[in-house]
Amino acid sequence: MSTSKGLEGVIVAETDITSIVDDQLAYVGYSIDDLANHALFEEVIYLLWNKKLPNQTELKEFTHQLTKEMTLPEELLNHFQTMNLEKTHPMSILRTAVSLLGVYDPEVDIMSEEANRRKAIRIQARIATAIAVFSRLRQGKAPIMPNPNYSYAENFLHMLKGEAIDPLEVEAFNKALVLHADHELNASTFTARVCVATLSDLYSGITAAIGALKGPLHGGANEQVIRMLTEIGEVDRAIPYIEEKIANKEKIMGMGHRVYKTGDPRAKHLKEMSRKLTAKIGQEKWYLMSEKIENYIKEEKGLPANVDFYSASAYHSMGIDHDLFTPIFAMSRTSGWIAHMLEQYQNNRLIRPRAEYVGPVKHVYQPISKR
């Protein structure tokens, strides 16, 4: 029996959702470059779930459904009041919040395709509100209701910040959501599929996926990147800092990616957004530091930046708390998780791999008096 550490290179499923071929990423056949430059996140959610882009009428109705379902159950708001929001990592709060959303959804265990579609809308809508609400509550601020005239991206920034949102921020945030929406069988998506392959419900699958995304080797990378940039502080300290990290054999977060050889095709879009946003607030140093590090690591180690690297400075420039970076990743990736779980349901087989045993053999049990 052959093994592959981390399942690297192992094909475990067929999918018609997302492809990564020759370092090119596409959702249902649409290039990530095309979608990042032109599509609303709502269009991408619809595409992933329905395998086609919506027409104008379909998009209007879909957006209306999302906005209508953004209001959180009163019970969840009450639970937030009992949580230690100031001292608990937002990913732990979000994991718990999604699980509780399942508790208060009367259709949670109804497994028809129609019920799952309704739950999908509720989950995608309410995960945005949950992140914005607990962020405001821990600052002692009142929650802000969604605006039915706003897009998904603008609504999130509106509910989070409570102020007139700059169009450049909306553009950047929408682009980030599109870029993070799906990425084939990454760790969290595989976790979600394993979970629902037991015929568990969508809320359980999302909760499991959030647990996987929480780790710094997956979704937590962009939070580690901004921590690194903050420690560096100034552009002229960037290279000496990285040289010291490399000398100490420490990992530089946000660089390289297991499935790409020549570079992450998503990174260039957030790099440009980082450049524009840091210039807008007069803090170009965050972009310049990032660019210096990217060029140095690419030359020294052959590792280009991945999607997490420039999302860090982009989100920072929007005034978003650093510990919300990974929950925002989860908010976007929920669209892909749901698409994969719906696909798993359609052609399900319990995911149950084997392991090669390498431990001792032929031990004989001894009574405790003889051990």
Side-chain angles (χ1 to χ4, degrees), residues 105 107-122 202 342:
D105 190 328
E107 291 192 294
V108 61
D109 290 321
I110 300 175
M111 299 298 286
S112 68
E113 183 176 348
E114 295 77 15
N116 280 334
R117 290 280 173 162
R118 290 191 292 270
K119 284 180 283 186
I121 291 281
R122 287 194 284 271
L202 288 176
L342 294 176

Side-chain angles (χ1 to χ4, degrees), residues 2-10:
S2 63
T3 62
S4 175
K5 193 172 183 180
L7 296 181
E8 183 169 356
V10 176

Side-chain angles (χ1 to χ4, degrees), residues 16 19 30 56 70 76 107 112 118 144 159 163-164 200 207 209 236 242 258 295 300 313 326 336 341 363:
D16 58 3
S19 64
Y30 290 91
Q56 195 169 42
M70 279 184 167
L76 180 55
E107 291 192 294
S112 68
R118 290 191 292 270
I144 296 173
M159 291 188 293
E163 57 192 54
S200 192
T207 303
D236 59 3
I242 297 300
R258 180 181 288 187
N295 292 338
E300 293 293 317
S313 50
T326 313
M341 289 189 290
H363 279 334

Side-chain angles (χ1 to χ4, degrees), residues 151-274:
S151 67
Y152 189 97
E154 189 170 8
N155 245 324
F156 176 76
L157 293 174
H158 162 71
M159 291 188 293
L160 183 71
K161 301 171 74 170
E163 57 192 54
I165 307 302
D166 187 295
L168 179 60
E169 290 190 14
V170 175
E171 177 192 355
F173 196 72
N174 180 80
K175 199 179 292 281
L177 293 177
V178 169
L179 294 168
H180 285 94
D182 193 51
H183 205 232
E184 201 219 45
L185 283 191
N186 55 85
S188 56
T189 300
F190 187 58
T191 299
R193 291 190 75 135
V194 169
C195 181
V196 301
T198 69
L199 297 185
S200 192
D201 63 278
L202 288 176
Y203 288 96
S204 295
I206 297 290
T207 303
I210 290 172
L213 190 71
K214 184 173 182 286
L217 293 184
H218 190 10
N222 53 11
E223 190 177 335
Q224 299 296 321
V225 170
I226 196 60
R227 186 175 299 164
M228 174 182 70
L229 295 177
T230 304
E231 286 178 5
I232 294 170
E234 299 299 334
V235 177
D236 59 3
R237 294 191 62 235
I239 301 307
Y241 178 96
I242 297 300
E243 287 175 335
E244 183 179 349
K245 289 284 185 184
I246 292 174
N248 293 332
K249 300 189 181 331
E250 295 181 54
K251 186 176 179 66
I252 309 300
M253 303 305 291
M255 305 303 299
H257 198 289
R258 180 181 288 187
V259 302
Y260 295 117
K261 299 293 184 276
T262 60
D264 188 333
R266 303 166 295 176
K268 60 182 177 290
H269 297 284
L270 287 177
K271 180 175 182 177
E272 178 62 11
M273 286 294 100
S274 171

Side-chain angles (χ1 to χ4, degrees), residues 50-120:
N50 297 283
K51 313 299 170 60
K52 65 167 191 153
L53 286 170
N55 61 33
Q56 195 169 42
T57 301
E58 290 167 335
L59 179 60
K60 183 178 179 181
E61 174 59 24
F62 187 68
T63 303
H64 171 71
Q65 290 175 347
L66 279 172
T67 307
K68 184 179 69 174
E69 294 291 356
M70 279 184 167
T71 303
L72 297 179
E74 191 67 31
E75 296 92 341
L76 180 55
L77 294 175
N78 293 335
H79 275 290
F80 277 147
Q81 302 296 339
T82 69
M83 296 178 187
N84 191 346
L85 300 178
E86 294 82 9
K87 295 185 178 179
T88 306
H89 194 282
M91 282 296 282
S92 296
I93 300 287
L94 185 61
R95 184 186 60 220
T96 303
V98 169
S99 186
L100 285 168
L101 284 172
V103 170
Y104 299 115
D105 190 328
E107 291 192 294
V108 61
D109 290 321
I110 300 175
M111 299 298 286
S112 68
E113 183 176 348
E114 295 77 15
N116 280 334
R117 290 280 173 162
R118 290 191 292 270
K119 284 180 283 186

